[in-house]
C-alpha cells in the first residue's frame, strides 16, 4: 500500500483528501472540481490544523478503496461508513456521525415501505448507486424487488420524483436532506432506520496520523465547530 506519513504531509504542505462529490450533505460537486459539504469544510479545517493546503481528489464509491490503496489521497472524507471490509485495508477515526439505512419514496407511497418485508416484493423498483454501502445493504437484504443501478447518485432522487423507480434505501441524513429539497419525497416518520451505522474518516495504518486526526476531531466536537458545520449544511429551506 502506498501512503504518506504525517511528517511527509506536513513537510509537503499539502493534504490530499479523497472525496466522491456525489453525497450531500457531506460532499457534493456539480463539475468534479469545486466541492461543497460538511466534510469539505472540515477537510479545510483539518488542513489548517496541519499547516497544509487541502487538495481534493475525486474518487467514487466503486473505486474508493483501490484509490486509497494506490496512494491517490492521504485521507478519505466523504460521509464514509465504517465497515469491516474497509477496516481490513485501513483505519478509521472515531465516529463523527451515527445514523442508519432508511427508505425515501414519493410521499403518497412512503407508508407502504415501512419494513424490509414490505419493500422486498416483486414489482417494487429500488434505485441505488453502485459500489457503496447502499448497494451492499440491498444485495444482503433484498431478494424479490428489482434493483435499479444508477451510476450518478446526484440524479437518483429525481428518478423517484419522476416515477421511474419507487424508492431508495440510503442513510437517514441523506433522506432528511433530499426530502427537504424535493417536496414530493418523504422518509419514514421519526428516527426509523433499518441499520445502525457510524461514519468516520478513512486513514492509512499510520498511528501518528490517526492520533492527530482524532485529536483534531475531538477539538472540533468540544468547540462546537462540528455541530455548527452539520447545522449549516442541513439548514432545510
Amino acid at each position: 500500500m502506498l501512503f504518506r506519513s504525517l511528517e511527509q504531509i506536513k513537510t509537503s504542505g499539502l493534504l490530499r483528501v479523497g472525496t466522491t462529490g456525489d453525497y450531500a450533505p457531506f460532499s457534493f460537486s456539480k463539475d468534479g472540481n469545486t466541492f461543497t459539504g460538511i466534510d469539505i469544510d472540515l477537510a479545510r479545517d483539518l488542513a489548517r490544523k496541519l499547516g497544509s493546503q487541502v487538495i481534493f481528489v475525486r474518487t467514487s464509491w466503486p473505486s474508493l478503496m483501490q484509490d486509497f490503496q494506490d496512494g491517490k489521497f492521504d485521507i478519505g472524507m466523504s460521509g464514509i461508513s465504517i465497515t469491516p471490509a474497509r477496516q481490513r485495508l485501513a483505519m478509521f477515526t472515531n465516529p463523527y456521525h451515527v445514523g442508519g439505512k432508511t427508505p425515501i419514496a414519493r410521499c403518497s407511497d412512503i407508508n407502504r415501505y415501512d419494513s424490509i418485508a414490505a419493500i422486498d416484493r416483486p414489482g417494487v423498483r429500488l434505485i441505488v448507486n453502485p459500489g457503496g454501502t447502499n448497494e451492499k445493504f440491498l444485495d444482503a437484504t433484498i431478494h424479490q424487488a428489482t434493483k435499479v443501478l444508477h451510476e450518478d447518485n446526484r440524479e437518483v432522487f429525481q428518478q423517484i420524483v419522476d416515477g421511474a423507480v419507487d424508492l431508495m434505501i440510503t442513510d437517514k441524513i441523506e433522506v432528511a436532506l433530499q426530502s427537504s429539497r424535493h417536496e414530493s419525497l418523504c422518509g419514514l416518520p421519526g428516527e426509523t432506520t433499518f441499520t445502525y451505522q457510524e461514519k468516520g474518516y478513512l486513514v492509512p495504518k499510520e498511528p501518528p496520523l490517526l492520533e492527530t486526526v482524532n485529536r483534531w476531531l475531538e477539538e472540533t466536537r468540544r468547540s462546537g465547530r462540528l455541530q455548527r458545520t452539520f447545522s449549516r449544511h442541513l439548514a432545510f429551506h
Side-chain angles (χ1 to χ4, degrees), residues 47-66:
R48 285 193 292 270
K49 179 71 175 179
L50 298 178
S52 300
Q53 177 184 347
V54 67
I55 295 177
F56 293 106
V57 178
R58 183 73 177 267
T59 185
S60 70
W61 298 112
S63 67
L64 173 68
M65 296 311 297
Q66 188 60 58

Side-chain angles (χ1 to χ4, degrees), residues 5-224:
S5 68
L6 174 62
E7 287 308 311
Q8 287 173 319
I9 292 169
K10 288 182 174 181
T11 300
S12 72
L14 298 174
L15 176 67
R16 302 170 304 160
V17 174
T19 197
T20 63
D22 69 346
Y23 183 19
F26 293 99
S27 171
F28 185 80
S29 176
K30 289 183 178 180
D31 59 9
N33 297 308
T34 303
F35 295 87
T36 60
I38 292 167
D39 284 342
I40 304 308
D41 288 355
L42 291 173
R44 293 190 174 104
D45 190 79
L46 173 59
R48 285 193 292 270
K49 179 71 175 179
L50 298 178
S52 300
Q53 177 184 347
V54 67
I55 295 177
F56 293 106
V57 178
R58 183 73 177 267
T59 185
S60 70
W61 298 112
S63 67
L64 173 68
M65 296 311 297
Q66 188 60 58
D67 289 345
F68 173 77
Q69 289 180 278
D70 290 343
K72 292 184 179 180
F73 53 85
D74 303 308
I75 181 171
M77 303 178 71
S78 199
I80 302 170
S81 297
I82 301 172
T83 69
R86 289 168 177 164
Q87 286 177 310
R88 285 194 287 271
L89 300 172
M91 295 194 296
F92 278 91
T93 62
N94 297 328
Y96 70 102
H97 179 266
V98 172
K101 301 297 184 191
T102 195
I104 182 170
R106 291 179 294 280
C107 295
S108 57
D109 297 333
I110 188 62
N111 288 334
R112 297 166 52 194
Y113 304 126
D114 62 353
S115 68
I116 293 298
I119 292 169
D120 192 17
R121 296 178 289 109
V124 175
R125 300 163 300 171
L126 275 161
I127 194 167
V128 66
N129 56 307
T133 57
N134 287 341
E135 186 180 19
K136 287 181 173 60
F137 177 77
L138 257 61
D139 289 345
T141 59
I142 301 299
H143 309 291
Q144 299 184 75
T146 300
K147 181 176 78 172
V148 179
L149 282 174
H150 193 85
E151 292 290 334
D152 195 336
N153 194 50
R154 297 170 297 182
E155 301 171 351
V156 297
F157 301 98
Q158 191 61 46
Q159 294 288 305
I160 304 172
V161 171
D162 294 343
V165 295
D166 298 308
L167 75 154
M168 183 184 193
I169 298 176
T170 187
D171 296 336
K172 183 72 174 179
I173 191 171
E174 188 173 35
V175 170
L177 179 66
Q178 295 299 334
S179 59
S180 77
R181 291 179 172 178
H182 300 86
E183 62 179 16
S184 63
L185 297 184
C186 291
L188 292 173
E191 296 302 314
T192 304
T193 60
F194 298 153
T195 65
Y196 173 84
Q197 197 168 56
E198 296 177 333
K199 295 189 183 297
Y201 295 131
L202 183 75
V203 299
K205 293 182 177 180
E206 159 78 354
L209 178 58
L210 178 66
E211 292 165 9
T212 297
V213 179
N214 270 331
R215 283 198 300 270
W216 160 80
L217 189 56
E218 183 58 25
E219 288 172 9
T220 67
R221 196 188 312 275
R222 289 184 177 179
S223 69

